[in-house]
Amino acid sequence: MTSIHCKIAILLCMIIIQSERWRKLRNIVQWTPFFQTYKKQRYPWIQLAGHQGNFKAGPDQGTILKKLCPQEEMCFQLLMKDILRPFVPEYKGQVTCEDGELYLQLQDLLSDFDCPCVMDCKIGVRTYLEEELAKAKEKTKLRKDMYEKMIQIDPKAPSEEEHRSKGVTKPRYMIWRETISSTATLGFRIDGVKKADGTSSKDFKTTKTREQIVEAFKDFTSSFPNSVPRYLERLKSIRATVQESHFFRTHELIGSSLLFVHDKRRASVWMIDFAKTVPVPEAVNIDHNSAWKVGNHEDGYLIGLNNLISIFETLAKDAEPPRDSYTTLSLDIDSNVRQDRLAT
């Protein structure tokens, strides 16, 4: 072997060794606690909403992939042409991943935030479609798993007969589940919260009263009270826009959420999760603000939104500084300045 061949062989060996070293280093970096924590904090609403396994990092900066649901994709296609577009994640098309699974490429709503606080609120007076309830009623077998979930939350919830049989039907469980939270009373419920320090909680199953909800939102915004007026403004904008939206007028929004996000600099709210959003049947009109009865397809979206706005108005009022002499003086000076300008 010539000296040139020896040098080439040595160089190739060095490249292979360096590549192997980099592969090992990359694996170490990917599995360090810091990197894993970063990935978990990057997409905290995944854990909050219970969608583990449905999301992946997007191929482009500022995007995220959500496992394809044809109904949700149809909704996003319509929303991109609707006046609600500024209030939902931007839909950027369909992506096929290396595993062959299809995903929706969506705007990463957290990309502009630094260590954000996140809250997922499920909105509406029910989280199941009428068709789901009808199918469940066709097969009224007793479910032991649902009975066990029920007694874990409230041992007194099942009837004597249900206790004896140690089972409840799915329709019974579905309807009961909505009554233990603020879903039935206020038209929304808190599904989960993740704070800037990384702590999170989904322990809101029995958070039901307005007072309990107010305290939860106070705790959520305590690190950045300036987020309250920004959230209030955004919620009012959403309400004004949905009332003019063709999409909103013609669809029943079930299991949809409002995602609250804030950090030390900004705060915003988005409408998310449209897998159970379906067109209202022909010849049926809904106002999203009436009580639900089987067959009328009302979802109570505006009931929840109006209650959220009322709660944030309370929070904003509580956060207002007292009107002291300094405030009065400032107003008087400002008034005098305006009068002087008018006089000139």
Side-chain angles (χ1 to χ4, degrees):
M1 183 181 289
T2 65
S3 61
I4 294 177
H5 288 143
C6 287
K7 289 180 180 178
I8 292 173
I10 292 170
L11 182 60
L12 287 172
C13 286
M14 289 178 66
I15 291 172
I16 291 169
I17 292 169
Q18 289 297 326
S19 298
E20 183 65 18
R21 284 176 179 171
W22 166 243
R23 185 182 66 80
K24 289 180 179 178
L25 177 62
R26 183 185 62 189
N27 288 339
I28 291 170
V29 171
Q30 283 183 340
W31 292 105
T32 56
F34 171 80
F35 192 80
Q36 290 300 304
T37 301
Y38 169 79
K39 290 202 293 186
K40 287 179 183 176
Q41 292 180 347
R42 189 89 173 119
Y43 310 111
W45 75 88
I46 299 173
Q47 285 77 27
L48 296 183
H51 297 304
Q52 291 92 336
N54 280 5
F55 288 86
K56 288 187 177 185
D60 303 319
Q61 187 176 2
T63 68
I64 189 168
L65 300 182
K66 185 177 184 181
K67 194 168 286 187
L68 172 68
C69 166
Q71 182 58 40
E72 186 163 35
E73 181 179 38
M74 193 179 302
C75 288
F76 273 118
Q77 289 170 343
L78 293 173
L79 284 164
M80 291 302 97
K81 302 173 185 177
D82 192 84
I83 58 173
L84 280 174
R85 179 170 179 161
F87 301 99
V88 302
E90 184 181 354
Y91 171 60
K92 299 175 179 289
Q94 207 180 95
V95 172
T96 304
C97 286
E98 60 278 359
D99 57 5
E101 290 275 2
L102 294 175
Y103 288 80
L104 305 178
Q105 185 176 198
L106 302 172
Q107 172 192 1
D108 176 6
L109 298 175
L110 307 188
S111 60
D112 293 330
F113 290 85
D114 182 25
C115 296
C117 297
V118 184
M119 178 184 281
D120 183 298
C121 281
K122 195 71 67 178
I123 188 158
V125 295
R126 57 190 166 94
T127 57
Y128 50 84
L129 291 163
E130 291 199 2
E131 134 187 358
E132 289 180 292
L133 185 61
K135 285 182 179 177
K137 285 182 176 179
E138 289 176 6
K139 300 177 180 179
T140 55
K141 68 176 183 178
L142 295 177
R143 296 279 298 269
K144 184 179 179 181
D145 58 331
M146 291 181 175
Y147 168 79
E148 289 174 351
K149 286 181 182 179
M150 186 180 281
I151 60 174
Q152 281 177 3
I153 296 170
D154 183 2
K156 297 180 180 179
S159 65
E160 290 182 10
E161 177 60 33
E162 288 168 339
H163 274 306
R164 278 195 296 270
S165 58
K166 297 191 181 301
V168 297
T169 65
K170 188 175 180 180
R172 159 86 163 109
Y173 177 80
M174 291 165 73
I175 294 171
W176 169 82
R177 185 182 57 187
E178 311 296 36
T179 64
I180 62 173
S181 70
S182 57
T183 291
T185 55
L186 298 175
F188 75 91
R189 72 168 183 247
I190 299 173
D191 252 18
V193 170
K194 179 260 175 189
K195 293 188 175 181
D197 61 6
T199 60
S200 61
S201 173
K202 297 204 300 184
D203 189 23
F204 298 98
K205 287 185 176 69
T206 57
T207 303
K208 185 174 183 177
T209 67
R210 179 186 170 91
E211 291 72 25
Q212 289 173 321
I213 295 290
V214 168
E215 287 305 311
F217 272 110
K218 278 184 179 178
D219 183 61
F220 174 61
T221 57
S222 60
S223 61
F224 185 41
N226 288 337
S227 63
V228 171
R230 299 179 190 183
Y231 279 141
L232 179 57
E233 181 182 2
R234 180 76 167 178
L235 287 169
K236 287 182 175 180
S237 296
I238 290 174
R239 181 173 64 182
T241 307
V242 295
Q243 290 172 336
E244 300 297 324
S245 164
H246 175 76
F247 179 89
F248 189 72
R249 188 165 56 250
T250 57
H251 284 77
E252 179 183 346
L253 284 79
I254 302 298
S256 185
S257 289
L258 287 174
L259 189 73
F260 292 77
V261 187
H262 72 262
D263 61 13
K264 292 183 178 180
R265 297 174 299 138
R266 65 191 77 193
S268 196
V269 188
W270 287 273
M271 301 168 67
I272 63 169
D273 292 342
F274 302 102
K276 288 187 178 182
T277 294
V278 295
V280 177
E282 289 186 20
V284 174
N285 293 314
I286 63 174
D287 59 21
H288 303 277
N289 203 27
S290 299
W292 172 65
K293 296 178 182 178
V294 176
N296 72 1
H297 291 273
E298 289 290 353
D299 55 21
Y301 197 101
L302 282 177
I303 294 174
L305 187 54
N306 287 332
N307 277 316
L308 276 166
I309 288 171
S310 174
I311 285 168
F312 271 93
E313 285 174 339
T314 298
L315 293 174
K317 186 176 179 181
D318 291 346
E320 285 179 358
R323 292 177 59 82
D324 53 19
S325 58
Y326 175 81
T327 305
T328 305
L329 179 63
S330 297
L331 290 172
D332 289 340
I333 291 172
D334 185 56
S335 175
N336 291 335
V337 168
R338 287 198 299 271
Q339 288 175 4
D340 289 343
R341 285 177 180 171
L342 287 171
T344 55

